[in-house]
Amino acid sequence: MIVRIMGEGQVRLDDGHLTELNKLDDELLAEMESGDEEGFRRTLGALLDAVRRLGAPLPDAALEPSELILPSPDATLSEVREMLKDDGLIPG
């Protein structure tokens, strides 16, 4: 799966990591719903760090279609709300 982090680039991520990422996505969704800005910041950072750690960066010149687009680390709560689908940022 190709994942884009807005403002950073793309990484290739094995589908086997989706379970771990979905746990963080669920936390992020709960923090957004409760308006927990501090928790939202912490969990968004953890989610993006996990994608960076588990994925392999694609070269800057590569233009692969992204199957998943994640917000930048400095995205606001309202910006991320606009990106959400029914089950969070990460499907599943």
Side-chain angles (χ1 to χ4, degrees):
M1 157 182 292
I2 304 298
V3 179
R4 173 175 299 283
I5 298 176
M6 294 176 70
E8 289 187 24
Q10 295 177 301
V11 297
R12 184 175 307 278
L13 188 68
D14 181 41
D15 289 349
H17 297 299
L18 287 179
T19 300
E20 178 181 346
L21 297 177
N22 268 317
K23 289 178 186 175
L24 290 167
D25 189 40
D26 291 344
E27 278 182 51
L28 187 69
L29 189 57
E31 290 159 350
M32 290 179 62
E33 288 173 353
S34 70
D36 180 358
E37 180 77 31
E38 185 178 320
F40 163 78
R41 283 273 141 237
R42 181 182 57 248
T43 305
L44 178 59
L47 176 63
L48 297 177
D49 287 345
V51 169
R52 293 180 195 110
R53 177 175 44 85
L54 298 169
L58 294 180
D60 289 339
L63 292 174
E64 301 286 330
S66 300
E67 297 166 75
L68 182 60
I69 299 174
L70 297 176
S72 67
D74 60 348
T76 66
L77 227 155
S78 63
E79 289 171 336
V80 175
R81 264 194 194 105
E82 290 177 18
M83 295 178 70
L84 286 177
K85 297 176 176 59
D86 291 339
D87 55 354
L89 291 169
I90 299 172

